[in-house]
Amino acid sequence: MSAPQAGVPEIMWQGEYIIVRRWGTWEYVGRARSIHAAVILALVDGDVLLVEQYRVPLGGLCLELPAGLVGDETDGEAVESAAARELEEETGYRADRIEIIGRFASSPGMVSETFSLVRAHGLTKIGEGGGAPGENITVHRVPLAQVGAFAAAKRAQGMFMDVKLLTLLGAGLLD
């Protein structure tokens, strides 16, 4: 299928990390400098590592898989390097190996941003995590069998759920 129209998108506004574009009547947001994200599926002895942090656009706490930007600090950064760096920073765990599962789009009707879903192998706890200064990330190590109940309890407390948690909750939502 071809693009709906010819030409290039018009930049409506650009900040350090975000660009707002218009292409004909279509308006959308994207990351500047071709930055994308790495989202990390990290399993330790049958538990999954989850993080919660305050998200300004939501105005509240959000439960998520650990993640971070690729190339926001270093041009040409490899997905695996960014994922390993972010995993350690956010959760305090170091991976022996990072495996790229694939590239995905979370809201392709509004946002051009994509993310690479990766799996972290051979995890060793080396610190407390918590993110970069000011991020105030809380780390949760949750048994896989209890992820649905854990997420439900967090939702009942008013916490937002990142769509990427569907990788863990998907089948359970069909029950």
Side-chain angles (χ1 to χ4, degrees):
M1 178 179 215
S2 63
Q5 58 201 29
V8 296
E10 169 191 2
I11 295 176
M12 308 285 298
W13 177 86
Q14 182 171 349
E16 186 175 351
Y17 294 101
I18 302 292
I19 298 175
V20 178
R21 292 182 170 107
R22 180 178 19 222
W23 193 19
T25 59
W26 202 284
E27 296 175 346
Y28 63 96
V29 178
R31 294 266 183 204
R33 303 184 324 270
S34 299
I35 295 170
H36 64 286
V39 177
I40 305 135
L41 181 56
L43 302 173
V44 182
D45 299 326
D47 297 342
V48 65
L49 299 178
L50 301 176
V51 295
E52 73 176 68
Q53 62 181 313
Y54 185 85
R55 292 300 195 175
V56 171
L58 299 175
L61 291 170
C62 188
L63 187 66
E64 311 170 5
L65 291 169
L69 297 177
V70 178
D72 62 329
E73 297 176 8
T74 306
D75 286 340
E77 182 178 33
V79 170
E80 296 91 340
S81 298
R85 173 178 47 80
E86 291 290 345
L87 180 67
E88 286 186 29
E89 184 179 284
E90 290 192 1
T91 69
Y93 281 82
R94 178 173 288 156
D96 288 342
R97 182 172 63 91
I98 301 289
E99 169 192 11
I100 297 176
I101 295 171
R103 197 150 181 188
F104 299 86
S106 58
S107 185
M110 186 180 132
V111 179
S112 65
E113 178 187 42
T114 61
F115 66 91
S116 292
L117 181 64
V118 304
R119 171 120 185 232
H121 296 273
L123 299 179
T124 304
K125 186 162 177 62
I126 60 163
E128 293 306 310
E135 285 186 315
N136 301 317
I137 293 172
T138 302
V139 181
H140 299 284
R141 185 173 164 171
V142 181
L144 275 173
Q146 297 175 20
V147 169
F150 183 81
K154 290 293 187 178
R155 274 196 308 272
Q157 295 170 6
M159 190 173 295
F160 292 97
M161 301 287 122
D162 187 302
V163 68
K164 292 172 280 305
L165 286 179
L166 290 175
T167 60
L168 301 171
L169 298 172
L173 295 175
L174 299 175
D175 293 339

